[in-house]
Amino acid sequence: MTQPFSPPLDSSTDKVPPARPPAWRGLLIRADVRTLSLLGVLAVLIVIGGITKPDEFLDTRNLQLVLTQASVIGVVTVGMTFVIVSGGIDLSVGAIVALASVWATTVATQEYGFAGILFTAVVVGVGCGLVNGVLIAYGAMVPFIATLAMLASARGLSLQITDGRTQIVTVPSVLDLGERDAYVLGIPPLVMVFAVVTIIGWLVLNRTTFGRRTVAVGGNPEAARLAGIDVRRQRLYLYLLSGLCCGIAAFLLIVLAGSGQNTNGNLYELDAIAAAIIGGTLLTGGRGTITGSVLGVLIFTTITNIFALNNLQSDVQQIAKGAIIVAAVLVQRRTASTT
């Protein structure tokens, strides 16, 4: 029985199935969507502030105040983002800011002037980060427990140093940074420091081997180890980075408040974690953006400012923040389930 004749395939007319777009393109699109969504939320808040208190909210001084207040917690959030991307957590950032601020404003430290205050704040922050990193990376302690212990210890030590009293800064060169005469083109020096830290953080996370290793450790520590990454050393470096950011933030807070107090940095850990989460950083690690975290900081700071201008209760403000955090986590889970 003869087979039915089938004409040969013409290679010129064969249809080749379209190639799938690379995975990175989908991640980039989702990142852009998240960034645009956060910008949309921030724009809505600005509109609300402009409608409810147009003369006060849109005033140049108030906008400068919002950015200045965002700078302190923003620097802390940059360090927190790196830690969370690696799959860790740092509950001690607020207490480290408090300890660094009071240690840097003692009478003995202020005798060394501007450089002494800045150096002390940074060294105390890095030192606390070193302790956290050693306990977690080489002591095999759970990050939650290790940083919780640091939170309690740093708060206790800061209270012991100050004896519950406010330490007033008497160094003119430090206080002058908070004055309007120090503004450059209307931009406060603290905001410029925040911008520099943000840019450096973005470059490190997205354009360096250190950033790629951080993402790898957060995504799959065992796979990262098999790929030749020293996971323990990487985690140590990340907590050192978080401590460094806390030290810088402590100095900014000293400039902003003109004093050092054991109550400084209260709930900074919650604000930093919340800002990173709504910015798209996964609590399980492996993904996060500095841009999103900074937008999260600006959103929370703007909410606080709007509530203050409208004389609304702080408890309502906390409820609003909690609702935003829950919504952000739900969006994260939905996004993860569809990928």
Side-chain angles (χ1 to χ4, degrees), residues 37-320:
S37 299
L38 292 172
L39 286 173
V41 172
L42 185 59
V44 170
L45 290 174
I46 293 174
V47 171
I48 293 174
I51 293 175
T52 56
K53 291 288 183 179
D55 296 333
E56 300 175 30
F57 180 79
L58 298 178
D59 183 72
T60 302
R61 289 177 180 269
N62 183 64
L63 296 179
Q64 290 171 337
L65 175 63
V66 171
L67 292 176
T68 302
Q69 292 175 338
S71 299
V72 180
I73 185 62
V75 171
V76 175
T77 303
V78 170
M80 180 69 79
T81 301
F82 276 88
V83 171
I84 297 179
V85 168
S86 72
I89 198 73
D90 192 348
L91 300 179
S92 63
V93 290
I96 294 176
V97 169
L99 179 59
S101 69
V102 300
W103 206 321
T105 54
T106 59
V107 175
T109 303
Q110 293 193 50
E111 291 179 356
Y112 294 94
F114 183 98
I117 293 176
L118 175 60
F119 178 79
T120 303
V122 170
V123 167
V124 171
V126 173
C128 292
L130 176 63
V131 174
N132 281 337
V134 170
L135 291 176
I136 293 168
Y138 296 96
M141 289 188 67
V142 177
F144 181 91
I145 301 300
T147 57
L148 185 62
M150 175 59 71
L151 183 155
S153 301
R155 283 291 179 192
L157 185 55
S158 62
L159 178 60
Q160 185 180 47
I161 291 174
T162 61
D163 197 22
R165 294 190 294 267
T166 300
Q167 298 179 161
I168 305 298
V169 177
T170 58
V171 180
S173 56
V174 174
L175 298 175
D176 289 344
L177 287 178
E179 300 296 331
R180 296 189 62 83
D181 293 340
Y183 290 10
V184 179
L185 300 177
I187 303 175
L190 274 66
V191 177
M192 291 188 288
V193 173
F194 176 35
V196 170
V197 171
T198 299
I199 293 171
I200 294 176
W202 187 91
L203 291 174
V204 171
L205 185 60
N206 295 280
R207 294 291 185 269
T208 66
T209 302
F210 182 87
R212 290 190 290 271
R213 288 176 177 172
T214 300
V215 175
V217 169
N220 191 326
E222 182 60 21
R225 185 187 66 81
L226 294 175
I229 298 176
D230 190 332
V231 176
R232 294 190 299 178
R233 184 172 60 185
Q234 185 70 17
R235 285 175 173 162
L236 173 62
Y237 289 161
L238 289 166
Y239 282 95
L240 283 172
L241 176 60
S242 179
L244 172 63
C245 289
C246 290
I248 296 174
F251 180 77
L252 298 183
L253 191 57
I254 291 170
V255 174
L256 182 61
S259 63
Q261 305 176 52
N262 66 287
T263 56
N264 283 342
N266 188 34
L267 297 181
Y268 271 21
E269 56 277 357
L270 299 183
D271 288 343
I273 294 171
I277 291 174
I278 71 170
T281 302
L282 290 180
L283 274 175
T284 53
R287 191 184 76 190
T289 66
I290 298 296
T291 303
S293 296
V294 169
L295 289 174
V297 170
L298 293 176
I299 287 173
F300 278 138
T301 308
T302 304
I303 290 175
T304 302
N305 184 259
I306 292 174
F307 274 67
L309 291 178
N310 287 275
N311 296 319
L312 297 176
Q313 298 295 327
S314 60
D315 54 352
V316 180
Q317 174 185 328
Q318 298 301 324
I319 293 173

